[in-house]
Amino acid sequence: MILEVAILKVKNNCEREFEIAFAEASMIISQMQGYLNHELLKCIEQDNQYLLLVRWEKLEDHTEGFRKSKEYLQWKKLLHDFYDPFPTVEHYKSINLHSFDV
């Protein structure tokens, strides 16, 4: 399992419109091959900042499958104009903590 993480900074006073567009975009990403689940969290301290977490079966499901799909073009059209600046997306994997001698 791979966790995609992005901090999304939305243009000021566009938060409500972004949330509506994200609800529609969620339908797109949830249909993709290798998609497991996602959540969007709103920052308490900064009203226009969100944390996007998406779980994929493998990295290529996001970087090759989703990002190179026609569905991604719909996702992009719905969401990318809201971002300022454009977010950095990073990927994380689990580590086996039981393998350490402590």
Side-chain angles (χ1 to χ4, degrees), residues 4-10 14-31 35 37-42 49-56 62 66 72 74-83 87 89:
E4 170 194 350
V5 177
I7 295 175
L8 310 175
K9 295 192 179 209
V10 172
C14 293
E15 296 86 0
R16 179 76 178 133
E17 292 86 355
F18 169 73
E19 292 171 12
I20 292 167
F22 191 88
E24 186 176 340
S26 291
M27 308 281 261
I28 296 168
I29 197 169
S30 65
Q31 301 301 311
Y35 164 88
N37 61 55
H38 74 278
E39 59 185 310
L40 181 68
L41 304 162
K42 187 167 184 154
Q49 184 169 295
Y50 299 81
L51 177 63
L52 173 61
L53 304 172
V54 184
R55 289 170 184 82
W56 298 95
H62 178 232
F66 181 53
Y72 180 73
Q74 295 173 284
W75 171 276
K76 183 177 173 178
K77 183 177 180 181
L78 284 167
L79 300 177
H80 285 198
D81 286 341
F82 287 106
Y83 304 141
V89 175

Side-chain angles (χ1 to χ4, degrees), residues 54-77:
V54 184
R55 289 170 184 82
W56 298 95
E57 288 180 16
K58 57 185 191 281
L59 179 63
E60 295 76 18
D61 290 328
H62 178 232
T63 58
E64 300 294 318
F66 181 53
R67 284 274 180 92
K68 294 182 178 178
S69 70
K70 65 180 182 353
E71 290 86 356
Y72 180 73
L73 298 176
Q74 295 173 284
W75 171 276
K76 183 177 173 178
K77 183 177 180 181

